[in-house]
Amino acid sequence: MSRLVVVCGGSRGVGRAVSRLLAQRGCRVAVVSRDKDKAQDTVDSLHGGEHLALSCDVSKEQEVKKTFEFIVQTCGNIWGLVNSAGINRDGLLLRSRPQDMEELLGVNLLGSMLTCRAALRSMFHTRAASIVNIGSVVGVKGNVGQCVYSASKAGLEGFTRSLAKEVASRNIRVNLLAPGFIRTDMTAGLREEALVRSVPLGRLGEPEDVAHAVLFLLESPYITGQVLLLDGGLQLAM
Ligand code: NAP
């Protein structure tokens, strides 16, 4: 039976590339995003059949609960969870509105907590499962204009390490991948030449670069509680 992986934020960008690689490697993928049509578009592009497209706002507890219950009822126990759903609201802290801060923390931090909690109920049955949260290099290094975003990603780091300790005895592993600049909708409005100048490897990352590292963390049986930077050397220059 193929391993079931839930990819939150799988409709676009990093999550879409992760979904595609996992399907190529024989996993059954449940693609979750707010927009079901876009999730379905990812599913239609996947290798093999029997993948699922689901609409769910990860910041809403009841939606998450119902979505994960449906996934388990339909497909069985969850082997992997990838938390790639995320938003940014860049701007100096003095100009940031509290409602935007709440929305960002709700998706990037609370959302991952809710999906992990919902998935763990199923993962406890299998006693061999893996979670990869997507953080950011700015959660490690900080950045001007990204106080709230970097706080959400730094929070995710602490959450990842603590959860790794909580569930290790059940053979459930929890790791965080922290990308630098990746070419997706999230970075589409930024000037590429300026970004590339700060990256020692001299290019933006592609979603597929991230997907390979996610697969590595999902499958590595003796790695847990780790933060892996995937940034073309960006942190060396920060
Ligand atoms: P993206 O292209 O904008 O994709 C974001 C994904 O998250 C979409 O599938 C989106 O689908 C989903 N999403 C957003 N809000 C959601 C919500 N409330 N509930 C469920 N799904 C939601 O972004 P990306 O670049 O792939 O980013 C993926 C992750 O990597 C994020 O956590 C981001 O912070 C992180 N990251 C990105 C970069 C980068 O340079 N791109 C760098 C470091 C870290 P819907 O809009 O349909 O909901």
Side-chain angles (χ1 to χ4, degrees):
M1 212 169 59
S2 48
R3 296 181 296 189
L4 172 63
V5 184
V6 182
V7 181
C8 298
S11 64
R12 291 185 278 119
V14 166
R16 183 176 165 100
V18 169
S19 301
R20 291 169 67 106
L21 184 62
L22 291 171
Q24 278 166 21
R25 299 301 169 95
C27 294
R28 186 175 189 185
V29 186
V31 177
V32 174
S33 77
R34 289 167 302 183
D35 185 328
K36 187 164 181 191
D37 290 343
K38 287 192 188 140
Q40 186 60 50
D41 188 59
T42 294
V43 163
D44 292 343
S45 76
L46 299 184
H47 177 83
E50 301 213 313
H51 308 292
L52 285 185
L54 299 137
S55 162
C56 169
D57 182 335
V58 296
S59 68
K60 304 272 182 348
E61 185 199 349
Q62 284 309 310
E63 283 190 36
V64 171
K65 186 168 176 283
K66 282 189 194 143
T67 301
F68 277 75
E69 282 171 358
F70 177 79
I71 291 170
V72 174
Q73 276 163 14
T74 314
C75 307
N77 283 322
I78 297 167
W79 172 77
L81 169 65
V82 180
N83 279 315
S84 189
I87 56 172
N88 59 351
R89 296 278 181 273
D90 293 351
L92 297 174
L93 185 66
L94 278 176
R95 296 197 190 137
S96 302
R97 300 182 312 163
Q99 56 266 47
D100 290 335
M101 297 179 194
E102 272 182 33
E103 188 193 358
L104 190 146
L105 293 170
V107 178
N108 292 10
L109 185 54
L110 178 66
S112 296
M113 293 176 179
L114 293 175
T115 59
C116 285
R117 196 175 68 142
L120 282 175
R121 293 183 198 286
S122 161
M123 289 174 166
F124 280 166
H125 292 295
T126 60
R127 298 187 73 86
S130 184
I131 296 171
V132 177
N133 294 319
I134 306 294
S136 167
V137 71
V138 305
V140 182
K141 293 287 180 178
N143 197 21
V144 173
Q146 293 196 300
C147 286
V148 185
Y149 180 79
S150 65
S152 74
K153 298 301 189 179
L156 208 47
E157 267 191 60
F159 170 72
T160 297
R161 291 198 180 95
S162 297
L163 185 61
K165 288 186 177 179
E166 275 189 25
V167 298
S169 63
R170 311 269 190 150
N171 197 25
I172 299 170
R173 294 173 298 100
V174 192
N175 291 291
L176 181 133
L177 188 64
F181 299 124
I182 309 300
R183 194 196 309 275
T184 66
D185 292 349
M186 198 176 266
T187 49
L190 304 176
R191 281 183 45 239
E192 184 165 333
E193 315 83 74
L195 298 182
V196 165
R197 270 200 294 278
S198 59
V199 181
L201 281 184
R203 67 171 177 89
L204 298 190
E206 300 297 335
E208 291 72 20
D209 295 324
V210 186
H212 283 285
V214 169
L215 182 67
F216 166 74
L217 288 176
L218 277 177
E219 289 191 322
S220 298
Y222 205 53
I223 298 181
T224 195
Q226 292 302 305
V227 173
L228 177 64
L229 272 67
L230 181 135
D231 64 357
L234 177 64
Q235 91 284 353
L236 301 170
M238 287 176 98

